[in-house]
Amino acid sequence: MEYFSEQDQNSVAFEDVTVNFTKEEWALLDPSQKNLYRDVMQEVLRNLASIGFSGSNYFQKHVQTHTGETSNRRKQRRKPFISSANLQLHEQTHTRKKLYQCEQCGKAFTTSSYLQIHKRTHTGEKPYECKQCGKAFTTSSNLQIHNRTHTGEKPYECKQCGKTFTQSIQLNSHEQTHTGKKPYECKQCGKAFTTSSYLQIHKRTHTGEKPYECKDCGKSFTSSSHLHSHERTHTGKKPYECKQCGKAFTRSSYLKIHKRTHTGEKPYECKQCGKVFTTSSSLQIHNRTHTGEKPYECKQCGKAFTQSIQLLSHEHTHTGKKPYECKQCGKAFCSSSYLQIHERSHTGEKPYKCKQCGKAFTASFYLQVHKRSHTGEKPYECEQCGKAFASTSDLHSHERTHTGKKPYECKQCGKAFTRSSYLQIHKRIHTGEKPYECEKCGKAFTTSSNLQIHNRTHTGEKPYECKQCGKAFTQSIQLHSHEQTHTGKKPYECKQCGKAFTTSSYLQIHKRTHTGEKPYECKDCGKSFTSSSHLHSHERTHTRKKPYECKQCGKAFTMSSYLKIHKRTHTGEKPYECKQCGKAFTTSSSLQIHNRTHTGEKPYECKQCGKAFTQSIQLLSHVCTHTGKKPYECKQCGKAFTASSYLKIHKQTHTGEKICEGKQCG
C-alpha cells in the first residue's frame, strides 16, 4: 500500500473523503442501502487509520448528520452543532477568522474545502459531471441539485403552504416570505436579504468585484449563475423549455417567470398601492416609485437610476459602446434585453398581449404602458407643471420642454432632439431608410407606429373615440386635437408670433415658417417641405398617384385631409365659424385667412419691396412678379402661371369644368 507523507496526512480531512447525505435524503434510503453506506464508511476509516488518522469519533459525529442528533450545545438558547469541528467553524463567523487564503487572488475562507472549491474558479476545473446531459460542476452538491432538474425531485417542502423546492436554501428563503424576515443586512446601504449568499452577491455592487469571468469574451459577473446564463449567449443553448408554448430559456428562473404569462399569476404585491407583479425584482423597482430611491449612480456624471440596467445603458452614452449586435441587420445595442426586443422586429413575435383589446407588444413594459390607455392611469407627474404621463420616458421628454434641453444631436445636420428615439427616426431622413413595409400595398415607413396607422386605412379601424360626440379617429393625436375643438383649448403657443395650436407637432411645423427650415426634400426635384406629410403629398405629383378617392363622385386626392375637406362640398358641412361675423368655412385655414379681414393682419411680407399679404400663396405669386418666374405651365397650351391655383382655374377653360359653388360638386 502506498503511504502518505506527513504533509499529506496534515492535508487530509475527514470531510474530504466522506459522502454527505442530508437528514431528508438519509430517510429516503432503504435499510440495505444504509448498511452498504456504513460498510463503505468503515472501510474509509480503516484506510485513514493506516496513515495515523483517528476517525472513530468522526464517524459517530458524521452519522449524527443523518439522525439529526446534536452532541454539542454550548449554553441554553445558543445555536447547536453536531461536532466540535462544526462549532469551531461557526465561531469563526463571529471572530471573522478566515485562515485559508487563495494564493492567486488573496480571497480568504473559513475552511480548506471552501478554498479548494474556490480554486476551481481560477482553474476552470469541473470534476462532477451529469451522466444524463454532460453538464459539469465544481462541487458534488451542485451536481446533486442539478440532477433534480432531470428527476423533478423537490425534497424540501414548506410546512406552511406545501410548496416544494430542489434546494434547502430555496426553502429557507421561501419561508421568510411568510415571516417577512430578512436577517442578512448590508452594512453599507442597509438593504436586507433572505439569505447570506444574496447578501454576498449584493456586496459586490458596492465593491465592483466581479469574480466570474467568461472565457469567450472576457466579460465578468458578480455571480456564477449570471456567468452560466451569459455563456449560453455564446453557445445559443436554451435548455429550459415551456411545455405550453415551446419557448426556450437560458435559465430555469426565466422559464418560471415566463410560465406566469400563461397562468396570469402575480405573486408579488405592493403593500402601499396594491399593485401586483410577476417577479420580486419588478416589485422592488416599483417600490422605488413610492420612495423616490435611485440607488444606481453614474460615476462619470452623477445621474442616478432606479434600475441597474438603466445605469448600464446610460454608461454606454459616455463610451459610445454598443456591444450587442443583431446578426440579421447589424444594428447594435447597449444591452442584451434591447437586442432581444429588436430581434422580434425581424421575427414578428409579439409575446405580450393585452387581454382587454388584444393588442400585442414586443416587450412587457410596452404592454404595461399600453394598459394605462385603458385605465387612464398616469403615474408619472411633472413637478414643474403638474402634467401627468403614462411612462417615465414620456415624462423625461416632457421635462425637457421646460429646460429646453435637447441632448441628442444629429451629426449630419446638427439638429437636436429631446429623445434618442426621435434622433434615430430623424436619421432616416438622411439615409432614406424605411424599414417598416405594408404587407398589403408595399408602402414603406420610417417608424412602426406610422405603419400601424397606415394599416388602419386598409382595415378601416378607428380605435380612438371622442367621449363627447362619439367621433372616432385612427390616431390618438387626432383625438386629442379634436377634443380641443370642444374645449377651444390651444395649449401650444408660438413664442415668436403668439399663434396657438392644439398639438405640439403642429407648433413644431409652424415654427419652421419663421426659421425657414424645410427638412423634408423631394429626391425627384429637390423641392423642400416643412413636414413629411407635405413631402408625401408632393411626391404624388411626380407619380400622379391619388390614393384617396371620394365614393360619392369619384374624385381622387393625394392626401386624406384633402379628401376630408372635399367631402364637405357634398355634405355642405362648414365646421369653422367666425366668432366676429358668424361666417362659416370648410377648413380652419380658410377661417384663419378670413379672420385677417377683421384684424387687418398681413403676416406674409415681400423681402424685396415690403408689400404684405394675408396668405402665403399670395406672397409666392407676388414674388414671381419680381423674378418673372412662372413655374406652373399648362401642358395643353403652354401658358404659364405664377401659382398652381391659377393654373387649375385656367385648365377649366380647356375642360369646360366649373368651380363648385353649391352644396354638390359635379
Side-chain angles (χ1 to χ4, degrees), residues 53-172:
F53 182 88
S54 178
S56 58
N57 288 338
Y58 273 90
F59 183 63
Q60 290 305 318
K61 289 165 188 172
H62 174 73
V63 167
Q64 289 164 8
T65 65
H66 306 306
T67 63
E69 181 190 345
T70 59
S71 61
N72 256 299
R73 191 182 295 270
R74 295 185 73 190
K75 285 184 181 178
Q76 284 297 322
R77 297 186 207 166
R78 298 271 179 112
K79 190 172 180 180
F81 296 91
I82 291 161
S83 68
S84 58
N86 285 346
L87 174 61
Q88 285 171 353
L89 286 176
H90 170 75
E91 284 171 341
Q92 287 169 13
T93 65
H94 295 299
T95 61
R96 301 189 182 280
K97 248 184 178 178
K98 291 185 178 181
L99 306 175
Y100 304 93
Q101 190 171 325
C102 174
E103 291 175 2
Q104 200 161 340
C105 67
K107 197 171 180 181
F109 299 87
T110 52
T111 70
S112 60
S113 58
Y114 291 163
L115 174 59
Q116 292 306 318
I117 291 164
H118 164 77
K119 282 179 177 176
R120 290 169 187 154
T121 63
H122 296 301
T123 61
E125 183 196 2
K126 291 183 179 181
Y128 303 95
E129 190 175 308
C130 174
K131 291 179 180 179
Q132 202 158 338
C133 68
K135 193 174 179 183
F137 299 87
T138 52
T139 66
S140 59
S141 58
N142 283 346
L143 174 59
Q144 280 177 347
I145 291 161
H146 166 78
N147 283 336
R148 290 171 188 148
T149 63
H150 295 300
T151 62
E153 181 197 6
K154 291 183 178 182
Y156 303 98
E157 188 176 315
C158 175
K159 290 177 182 178
Q160 200 160 339
C161 67
K163 198 171 181 182
T164 55
F165 300 89
T166 53
Q167 299 179 52
S168 59
I169 196 170
Q170 289 173 339
L171 174 60
N172 291 335

Side-chain angles (χ1 to χ4, degrees), residues 520-583:
Y520 302 96
E521 190 177 305
C522 175
K523 291 182 177 179
D524 284 311
C525 66
K527 196 173 179 181
S528 296
F529 299 87
T530 53
S531 71
S532 58
S533 60
H534 288 154
L535 170 61
H536 296 324
S537 178
H538 165 79
E539 284 170 339
R540 291 176 188 134
T541 62
H542 294 298
T543 60
R544 301 197 178 281
K545 218 176 178 184
K546 291 184 178 181
Y548 304 98
E549 191 176 306
C550 176
K551 291 179 181 178
Q552 200 161 341
C553 68
K555 196 169 181 182
F557 299 88
T558 54
M559 289 179 76
S560 59
S561 57
Y562 293 165
L563 173 59
K564 195 175 176 181
I565 292 162
H566 164 77
K567 280 178 179 177
R568 290 174 186 150
T569 63
H570 295 302
T571 61
E573 183 197 6
K574 291 184 177 182
Y576 304 96
E577 192 177 305
C578 176
K579 290 178 182 178
Q580 206 158 336
C581 68
K583 195 173 179 182

Side-chain angles (χ1 to χ4, degrees), residues 93 119 143 287 320 349 374 455 499:
T93 65
K119 282 179 177 176
L143 174 59
N287 282 337
E349 183 197 6
H374 295 300
N455 282 337
K499 195 173 179 181

Side-chain angles (χ1 to χ4, degrees), residues 442-505:
K443 192 173 179 183
F445 299 87
T446 52
T447 66
S448 58
S449 58
N450 284 346
L451 173 59
Q452 280 177 346
I453 292 161
H454 166 78
N455 282 337
R456 290 172 189 146
T457 63
H458 295 300
T459 61
E461 182 199 7
K462 290 183 177 181
Y464 304 98
E465 191 176 307
C466 176
K467 291 178 182 178
Q468 202 161 338
C469 67
K471 197 172 180 181
F473 300 89
T474 53
Q475 299 179 52
S476 58
I477 196 170
Q478 290 172 339
L479 173 60
H480 295 321
S481 180
H482 165 78
E483 284 170 339
Q484 284 153 6
T485 63
H486 293 300
T487 62
K489 215 174 167 188
K490 290 185 177 181
Y492 302 95
E493 192 176 303
C494 175
K495 291 178 181 178
Q496 202 161 338
C497 69
K499 195 173 179 181
F501 298 87
T502 53
T503 68
S504 59
S505 57

Side-chain angles (χ1 to χ4, degrees), residues 337-565:
S337 58
Y338 292 160
L339 173 59
Q340 280 178 346
I341 292 163
H342 163 78
E343 283 172 339
R344 290 172 187 148
S345 67
H346 295 301
T347 61
E349 183 197 6
K350 290 183 178 181
Y352 303 95
K353 194 189 250 198
C354 175
K355 290 180 180 178
Q356 200 161 339
C357 68
K359 196 172 180 183
F361 299 88
T362 53
S364 60
F365 56 84
Y366 291 153
L367 174 59
Q368 293 305 319
V369 172
H370 164 77
K371 280 179 179 175
R372 290 171 188 148
S373 67
H374 295 300
T375 62
E377 183 196 5
K378 291 183 177 181
Y380 305 98
E381 194 175 301
C382 175
E383 291 177 2
Q384 203 159 335
C385 68
K387 195 173 179 182
F389 298 88
S391 69
T392 52
S393 59
D394 288 342
L395 172 61
H396 296 324
S397 180
H398 164 79
E399 284 170 339
R400 291 175 188 137
T401 62
H402 294 300
T403 60
K405 211 174 173 187
K406 291 184 178 180
Y408 305 99
E409 191 176 306
C410 175
K411 291 179 181 178
Q412 201 162 339
C413 67
K415 195 173 180 183
F417 298 87
T418 53
R419 295 174 78 163
S420 60
S421 58
Y422 293 164
L423 174 59
Q424 292 305 319
I425 292 162
H426 165 78
K427 282 178 178 175
R428 290 171 186 151
I429 295 167
H430 297 301
T431 60
E433 183 197 5
K434 290 183 179 181
Y436 304 95
E437 191 175 307
C438 175
E439 290 178 1
K440 207 174 277 206
C441 68
K443 192 173 179 183
F445 299 87
T446 52
T447 66
S448 58
S449 58
N450 284 346
L451 173 59
Q452 280 177 346
I453 292 161
H454 166 78
N455 282 337
R456 290 172 189 146
T457 63
H458 295 300
T459 61
E461 182 199 7
K462 290 183 177 181
Y464 304 98
E465 191 176 307
C466 176
K467 291 178 182 178
Q468 202 161 338
C469 67
K471 197 172 180 181
F473 300 89
T474 53
Q475 299 179 52
S476 58
I477 196 170
Q478 290 172 339
L479 173 60
H480 295 321
S481 180
H482 165 78
E483 284 170 339
Q484 284 153 6
T485 63
H486 293 300
T487 62
K489 215 174 167 188
K490 290 185 177 181
Y492 302 95
E493 192 176 303
C494 175
K495 291 178 181 178
Q496 202 161 338
C497 69
K499 195 173 179 181
F501 298 87
T502 53
T503 68
S504 59
S505 57
Y506 292 161
L507 174 59
Q508 292 304 320
I509 291 165
H510 164 77
K511 281 179 178 175
R512 291 170 187 151
T513 62
H514 295 300
T515 61
E517 184 198 4
K518 291 183 178 181
Y520 302 96
E521 190 177 305
C522 175
K523 291 182 177 179
D524 284 311
C525 66
K527 196 173 179 181
S528 296
F529 299 87
T530 53
S531 71
S532 58
S533 60
H534 288 154
L535 170 61
H536 296 324
S537 178
H538 165 79
E539 284 170 339
R540 291 176 188 134
T541 62
H542 294 298
T543 60
R544 301 197 178 281
K545 218 176 178 184
K546 291 184 178 181
Y548 304 98
E549 191 176 306
C550 176
K551 291 179 181 178
Q552 200 161 341
C553 68
K555 196 169 181 182
F557 299 88
T558 54
M559 289 179 76
S560 59
S561 57
Y562 293 165
L563 173 59
K564 195 175 176 181
I565 292 162

